CSV table of all heavy atoms in Angstrom, one decimal:
chain,number,residue,atom,x,y,z
A,1,LYS,N,-14.5,-2.6,-1.4
A,1,LYS,CA,-14.4,-1.4,-0.6
A,1,LYS,C,-14.6,-1.6,0.9
A,1,LYS,O,-14.2,-0.8,1.7
A,1,LYS,CB,-15.5,-0.4,-1.1
A,1,LYS,CG,-16.9,-0.9,-0.9
A,1,LYS,CD,-17.9,0.2,-1.4
A,1,LYS,CE,-19.3,-0.2,-1.2
A,1,LYS,NZ,-19.7,-0.6,0.2
A,2,ASP,N,-15.1,-2.8,1.3
A,2,ASP,CA,-15.3,-3.1,2.7
A,2,ASP,C,-14.1,-3.8,3.3
A,2,ASP,O,-14.1,-4.1,4.5
A,2,ASP,CB,-16.5,-4.0,2.9
A,2,ASP,CG,-17.8,-3.3,2.4
A,2,ASP,OD1,-18.0,-2.1,2.7
A,2,ASP,OD2,-18.7,-4.0,1.8
A,3,SER,N,-13.0,-4.0,2.5
A,3,SER,CA,-11.8,-4.6,3.0
A,3,SER,C,-11.0,-3.6,3.8
A,3,SER,O,-11.0,-2.4,3.5
A,3,SER,CB,-10.9,-5.2,1.8
A,3,SER,OG,-11.6,-6.2,1.2
A,4,ILE,N,-10.3,-4.1,4.8
A,4,ILE,CA,-9.3,-3.3,5.5
A,4,ILE,C,-7.9,-3.7,5.0
A,4,ILE,O,-7.6,-4.9,5.0
A,4,ILE,CB,-9.3,-3.5,7.1
A,4,ILE,CG1,-10.7,-3.2,7.6
A,4,ILE,CG2,-8.3,-2.7,7.7
A,4,ILE,CD1,-11.2,-1.8,7.2
A,5,CYS,N,-7.1,-2.8,4.5
A,5,CYS,CA,-5.9,-3.1,3.8
A,5,CYS,C,-4.7,-2.5,4.7
A,5,CYS,O,-4.6,-1.3,5.0
A,5,CYS,CB,-5.8,-2.4,2.4
A,5,CYS,SG,-7.1,-3.1,1.4
A,6,VAL,N,-3.9,-3.5,5.1
A,6,VAL,CA,-2.8,-3.2,6.1
A,6,VAL,C,-1.4,-3.2,5.4
A,6,VAL,O,-1.1,-4.2,4.6
A,6,VAL,CB,-2.8,-4.2,7.2
A,6,VAL,CG1,-1.7,-3.9,8.2
A,6,VAL,CG2,-4.2,-4.2,7.8
A,7,PHE,N,-0.6,-2.1,5.5
A,7,PHE,CA,0.7,-2.0,4.9
A,7,PHE,C,1.7,-1.7,6.0
A,7,PHE,O,1.4,-1.0,7.0
A,7,PHE,CB,0.7,-0.9,3.9
A,7,PHE,CG,-0.3,-1.1,2.8
A,7,PHE,CD1,-1.6,-0.6,2.8
A,7,PHE,CD2,0.1,-1.8,1.6
A,7,PHE,CE1,-2.5,-0.8,1.8
A,7,PHE,CE2,-0.7,-2.0,0.5
A,7,PHE,CZ,-2.1,-1.5,0.6
A,8,SER,N,3.0,-2.0,5.7
A,8,SER,CA,4.1,-1.7,6.5
A,8,SER,C,5.3,-1.3,5.6
A,8,SER,O,5.4,-2.0,4.5
A,8,SER,CB,4.6,-2.8,7.4
A,8,SER,OG,3.6,-3.3,8.2
A,9,SER,N,6.0,-0.3,5.9
A,9,SER,CA,7.1,0.1,5.1
A,9,SER,C,8.1,0.9,5.9
A,9,SER,O,7.8,1.8,6.6
A,9,SER,CB,6.6,1.0,3.9
A,9,SER,OG,7.7,1.4,3.1
A,10,ARG,N,9.4,0.5,5.7
A,10,ARG,CA,10.5,1.3,6.4
A,10,ARG,C,10.7,2.6,5.6
A,10,ARG,O,10.7,3.6,6.2
A,10,ARG,CB,11.8,0.5,6.5
A,10,ARG,CG,12.9,1.2,7.2
A,10,ARG,CD,14.2,0.6,7.0
A,10,ARG,NE,14.7,0.6,5.6
A,10,ARG,CZ,15.2,1.7,5.0
A,10,ARG,NH1,15.3,2.9,5.7
A,10,ARG,NH2,15.6,1.7,3.7
A,11,SER,N,10.9,2.5,4.3
A,11,SER,CA,11.3,3.7,3.6
A,11,SER,C,10.1,4.5,3.3
A,11,SER,O,10.2,5.8,3.2
A,11,SER,CB,11.9,3.2,2.2
A,11,SER,OG,10.9,2.6,1.4
A,12,GLY,N,8.9,3.9,3.1
A,12,GLY,CA,7.7,4.7,2.8
A,12,GLY,C,7.6,5.0,1.3
A,12,GLY,O,6.7,5.6,0.8
A,13,ASN,N,8.6,4.5,0.5
A,13,ASN,CA,8.6,4.8,-0.9
A,13,ASN,C,8.8,3.6,-1.8
A,13,ASN,O,9.0,3.7,-3.0
A,13,ASN,CB,9.6,5.8,-1.3
A,13,ASN,CG,11.0,5.4,-1.0
A,13,ASN,OD1,11.4,4.2,-0.8
A,13,ASN,ND2,12.0,6.4,-1.0
A,14,THR,N,8.7,2.4,-1.2
A,14,THR,CA,8.8,1.1,-2.0
A,14,THR,C,7.7,1.1,-3.1
A,14,THR,O,6.5,1.3,-2.8
A,14,THR,CB,8.6,-0.1,-1.1
A,14,THR,OG1,9.5,0.0,-0.1
A,14,THR,CG2,8.8,-1.4,-2.0
A,15,LYS,N,8.1,1.0,-4.4
A,15,LYS,CA,7.1,1.3,-5.5
A,15,LYS,C,5.9,0.4,-5.3
A,15,LYS,O,4.8,0.9,-5.6
A,15,LYS,CB,7.8,1.0,-6.8
A,15,LYS,CG,8.9,2.1,-7.1
A,15,LYS,CD,9.5,1.8,-8.5
A,15,LYS,CE,10.5,3.0,-8.8
A,15,LYS,NZ,11.1,2.7,-10.2
A,16,GLU,N,6.0,-0.9,-5.2
A,16,GLU,CA,4.9,-1.8,-5.1
A,16,GLU,C,4.0,-1.5,-4.0
A,16,GLU,O,2.8,-1.5,-4.1
A,16,GLU,CB,5.4,-3.3,-4.9
A,16,GLU,CG,6.2,-3.8,-6.1
A,16,GLU,CD,7.7,-3.7,-5.9
A,16,GLU,OE1,8.1,-2.8,-5.2
A,16,GLU,OE2,8.4,-4.6,-6.4
A,17,ILE,N,4.6,-1.0,-2.8
A,17,ILE,CA,3.7,-0.7,-1.6
A,17,ILE,C,2.9,0.6,-1.9
A,17,ILE,O,1.7,0.7,-1.6
A,17,ILE,CB,4.5,-0.6,-0.4
A,17,ILE,CG1,5.2,-1.9,-0.1
A,17,ILE,CG2,3.7,-0.1,0.8
A,17,ILE,CD1,4.3,-3.1,0.2
A,18,VAL,N,3.6,1.6,-2.5
A,18,VAL,CA,2.9,2.8,-2.7
A,18,VAL,C,1.8,2.6,-3.8
A,18,VAL,O,0.7,3.1,-3.6
A,18,VAL,CB,3.9,3.9,-3.3
A,18,VAL,CG1,3.2,5.2,-3.7
A,18,VAL,CG2,4.9,4.2,-2.2
A,19,ALA,N,2.1,1.8,-4.8
A,19,ALA,CA,1.1,1.6,-5.9
A,19,ALA,C,-0.1,0.8,-5.3
A,19,ALA,O,-1.3,1.1,-5.6
A,19,ALA,CB,1.8,0.8,-7.0
A,20,ALA,N,0.2,-0.2,-4.4
A,20,ALA,CA,-0.9,-1.0,-3.9
A,20,ALA,C,-1.8,-0.2,-2.9
A,20,ALA,O,-3.0,-0.4,-2.9
A,20,ALA,CB,-0.3,-2.2,-3.2
A,21,ALA,N,-1.1,0.6,-2.1
A,21,ALA,CA,-1.9,1.5,-1.2
A,21,ALA,C,-2.8,2.4,-2.0
A,21,ALA,O,-4.0,2.6,-1.6
A,21,ALA,CB,-1.0,2.3,-0.3
A,22,LYS,N,-2.3,3.0,-3.1
A,22,LYS,CA,-3.1,3.9,-3.9
A,22,LYS,C,-4.3,3.0,-4.6
A,22,LYS,O,-5.4,3.5,-4.6
A,22,LYS,CB,-2.3,4.5,-5.0
A,22,LYS,CG,-3.1,5.4,-6.0
A,22,LYS,CD,-2.2,6.1,-7.0
A,22,LYS,CE,-2.9,7.1,-7.8
A,22,LYS,NZ,-4.1,6.5,-8.5
A,23,PHE,N,-4.0,1.8,-5.0
A,23,PHE,CA,-5.0,1.0,-5.7
A,23,PHE,C,-6.1,0.7,-4.7
A,23,PHE,O,-7.3,0.8,-5.0
A,23,PHE,CB,-4.3,-0.3,-6.0
A,23,PHE,CG,-5.2,-1.4,-6.7
A,23,PHE,CD1,-5.3,-1.4,-8.0
A,23,PHE,CD2,-5.8,-2.3,-5.9
A,23,PHE,CE1,-6.2,-2.3,-8.6
A,23,PHE,CE2,-6.7,-3.2,-6.4
A,23,PHE,CZ,-6.8,-3.3,-7.8
A,24,CYS,N,-5.8,0.4,-3.4
A,24,CYS,CA,-6.8,0.1,-2.4
A,24,CYS,C,-7.6,1.4,-2.1
A,24,CYS,O,-8.8,1.3,-1.9
A,24,CYS,CB,-6.1,-0.5,-1.2
A,24,CYS,SG,-5.3,-2.1,-1.4
């Protein structure tokens, strides 16, 4: 919970990115 999780996405709907952001 103390990690900072950084994401980038052009579409904003890439399945793996959305799922990982929710996971974090």
Side-chain angles (χ1 to χ4, degrees):
K1 64 178 179 59
D2 296 318
S3 298
I4 304 303
C5 300
V6 181
F7 298 90
S8 303
S9 178
R10 183 192 65 78
S11 67
N13 63 16
T14 306
K15 290 181 179 180
E16 296 96 329
I17 298 300
V18 175
K22 182 179 185 301
F23 179 91
C24 294

